[in-house]
Amino acid sequence: AVVSTQSTGMEMERFRPNIVAVEKQPFADEGWAEVKVGEAVLVFCHRCTRCSITNVSPEGIRTDYTMNSLREKRPRCEKTNKPVFGSYFKVKCSGLVKPGDKIMLIKSQ
């Protein structure tokens, strides 16, 4: 999953992402169809719906702030009514991905 938390004020770690996008434009991933990260090429699958696990920090501290904030700030999934935050991508071309690698947009949605 790709997550951008810059404009939400929430700790990125609560979302347990695999790749974090640090973009000037919040929610930039919502317009991506295909990206290259390091040597890998990824294709958009679907948006991430979020459950209450985001209320628990990696240290085990529980709060209702995260879900309440997402419910107020983010659109909801039509099927589940859960807040949408982040994107799932599948691997089109495997390759090495390292911390600090840039995300290069190949194709927009």
Side-chain angles (χ1 to χ4, degrees), residues 77-90:
C77 173
E78 291 178 13
K79 291 181 182 178
T80 65
N81 201 34
K82 292 180 180 179
V84 176
F85 189 76
S87 301
Y88 282 105
F89 288 79
K90 65 181 177 181

Side-chain angles (χ1 to χ4, degrees), residues 34-104:
E34 189 172 324
V35 294
K36 183 173 183 181
V37 184
E39 299 171 359
V41 177
L42 310 175
V43 178
F44 172 79
C45 290
H46 58 86
R47 303 279 167 250
C48 299
T49 57
R50 296 302 175 162
C51 65
S52 60
I53 193 66
T54 59
N55 287 336
V56 181
S57 71
E59 295 82 27
I61 301 167
R62 185 168 179 80
T63 176
D64 290 334
Y65 170 76
T66 306
M67 275 305 280
N68 290 340
S69 182
L70 284 177
R71 286 184 184 115
E72 292 171 7
K73 297 177 182 180
R74 297 298 299 148
R76 305 276 184 106
C77 173
E78 291 178 13
K79 291 181 182 178
T80 65
N81 201 34
K82 292 180 180 179
V84 176
F85 189 76
S87 301
Y88 282 105
F89 288 79
K90 65 181 177 181
V91 176
K92 179 178 179 180
C93 179
S94 62
L96 182 64
V97 176
K98 305 181 305 286
D101 280 347
K102 303 288 185 204
I103 298 174
M104 184 175 74

